[in-house]
Amino acid sequence: MDKKTKRWIKSLTIARKMWGCHQKPERSFFINGYQLPLCARCTGVLIGYLCAVLLLVLGCVINYLLCLVFLVPLVLDGGIQLLFNILSNNIRRFTTGIIFGIGFIHLIANLIVFLI
């Protein structure tokens, strides 16, 4: 096994421990034959978190009610998969993850502002 592959496997292990992602290959993106350390949904959530922080730095805060609406698509998508065994695709998982990540971080920001 080459050095690059060993590093990639280590990143998968670290992501599983730190993020709690299932890392199923059929629910993950691949780049040059290497599976990303997080599944499509977790990748979307992480990117959503980063986008939300960028929006906060730029001074854009989303209303808390809209934040709650942003959480719904991921919950619906995951719930439909779980309850009815209807699988979504990776693009939907990724997209709902981004929306959820933005809504969640802004909901936390609104909560902090409210408590202060």
Side-chain angles (χ1 to χ4, degrees), residues 39-92:
C39 71
R41 184 170 284 134
C42 291
T43 301
V45 171
L46 183 60
I47 290 172
Y49 287 169
L50 297 173
C51 291
V53 169
L54 179 62
L55 288 171
L56 288 170
V57 168
L58 294 174
C60 177
V61 180
I62 300 171
N63 178 293
Y64 76 94
L65 290 174
L66 187 56
C67 291
L68 293 174
V69 171
F70 276 29
L71 305 181
V72 172
L74 183 136
V75 173
L76 281 177
D77 186 42
I80 288 170
Q81 282 189 155
L82 180 67
L83 296 174
F84 303 108
N85 202 25
I86 299 172
L87 296 178
S88 67
N89 58 43
N90 285 345
I91 298 300
R92 184 181 302 151

